[in-house]
């Protein structure tokens, strides 16, 4: 990967994070931002833009951390099928943890069903992204994409998952998903050697 290609991926991911932040502003705080003057509106949009860009930095750190871990794991674990099996196990383990740990800290003895929503939704997005990645590359990309999209996104999402409100969880998830999906879907293009 050349510095130019990395710069392109960095800037586009940063802009997508900002776009995700603006989308969060429109969904959750539109009425609040439009009740004042235009200055209030533009300051609100600017704050959400910067918030989304900040989340994109978290996403990019997670992406490159995953690529490093994946590289070392492939070096240490010589069997590709064993590494894929470990990644599937970690996806299932992370799903269980997202439900169990959130329920223990926020459940207050109620039903566990509401705590299944976020991990199930994230798993659906991860599976859809993995199928999309397979359609533009090859079938070997399914498990790594699924792993990154579920486990890495869940780890990046931890600060918001400590809250029970929809606004807190989704205001971080929207920019994260914009950035993570973009990065994983662009990786093969960025790494492609030029003839």
């Amino acid at each position: 990967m050349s510095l130019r290609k990395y710069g392109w991926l960095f800037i586009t991911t940063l802009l997508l994070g900002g776009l995700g932040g603006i989308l969060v502003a429109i969904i959750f705080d539109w009425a609040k931002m439009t009740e004042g003057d235009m200055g209030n509106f533009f300051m609100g949009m600017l704050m959400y833009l910067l918030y989304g860009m900040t989340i994109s930095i978290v996403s990019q750190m997670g992406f490159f951390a995953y690529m490093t871990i994946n590289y070392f794991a492939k070096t240490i674990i010589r069997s590709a099928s064993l590494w894929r099996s470990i990644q599937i196990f970690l996806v299932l383990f992370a799903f269980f943890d997202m439900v169990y740990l959130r329920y223990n800290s926020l459940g207050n003895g109620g039903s566990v069903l509401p705590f299944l929503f976020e991990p199930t939704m994230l798993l659906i997005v991860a599976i859809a992204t993995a199928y999309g990645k397979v359609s533009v590359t090859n079938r070997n990309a399914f498990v790594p994409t699924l792993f990154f999209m579920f486990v890495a996104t869940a780890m990046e999402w931890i600060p918001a998952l400590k809250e029970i409100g929809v606004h807190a969880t989704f205001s971080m998830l929207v920019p994260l998903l914009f950035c993570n999906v973009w990065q994983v879907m662009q990786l093969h293009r960025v790494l492609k050697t030029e003839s």
Side-chain angles (χ1 to χ4, degrees), residues 10-28 30 33 44-57 59-60 170-182:
F10 177 83
I11 295 297
T12 56
T13 305
L14 192 70
L15 293 174
L16 274 173
L19 181 65
I22 289 173
L23 184 62
V24 167
I26 292 169
I27 293 170
F28 291 109
W30 182 258
M33 290 184 346
M45 283 295 189
L46 179 64
M47 294 305 291
Y48 273 103
L49 175 73
L50 294 175
Y51 171 76
M53 288 178 158
T54 304
I55 298 299
S56 82
I57 299 298
S59 168
Q60 292 185 57
F170 282 95
S171 66
M172 188 171 189
L173 180 65
V174 172
L176 271 178
L177 286 180
F178 272 43
C179 296
N180 285 348
V181 170
W182 174 253

Side-chain angles (χ1 to χ4, degrees), residues 7 30 67 112 127 174 185 194:
W30 182 258
M67 289 197 316
V112 74
I127 290 170
V174 172
M185 293 303 287
E194 295 173 359

Side-chain angles (χ1 to χ4, degrees), residues 16-139:
L16 274 173
L19 181 65
I22 289 173
L23 184 62
V24 167
I26 292 169
I27 293 170
F28 291 109
D29 283 338
W30 182 258
K32 183 178 163 187
M33 290 184 346
T34 55
E35 69 187 19
D37 59 354
M38 287 304 282
N40 183 42
F41 176 77
F42 286 118
M43 278 309 282
M45 283 295 189
L46 179 64
M47 294 305 291
Y48 273 103
L49 175 73
L50 294 175
Y51 171 76
M53 288 178 158
T54 304
I55 298 299
S56 82
I57 299 298
V58 172
S59 168
Q60 292 185 57
M61 287 190 302
F63 184 64
F64 286 103
Y66 168 71
M67 289 197 316
T68 304
I69 289 167
N70 192 43
Y71 174 77
F72 284 123
K74 285 180 175 179
T75 306
I76 295 168
I77 303 168
R78 297 288 180 183
S79 169
S81 64
L82 177 60
W83 176 229
R84 281 194 300 272
S85 299
I86 290 170
Q87 289 180 91
I88 297 257
F89 170 76
L90 290 173
V91 167
L92 296 173
F93 185 75
F95 185 94
F96 171 77
D97 273 355
M98 281 182 76
V99 175
Y100 179 74
L101 295 176
R102 285 194 78 222
Y103 177 73
N104 272 349
S105 64
L106 302 170
N108 297 327
S111 174
V112 74
L113 290 178
F115 296 94
L116 286 169
F117 177 71
E118 286 90 354
T120 303
M121 184 201 56
L122 183 58
L123 185 62
I124 290 168
V125 170
I127 290 170
T129 305
Y131 275 115
K133 183 70 173 180
V134 165
S135 72
V136 295
T137 57
N138 60 56
R139 64 184 180 89

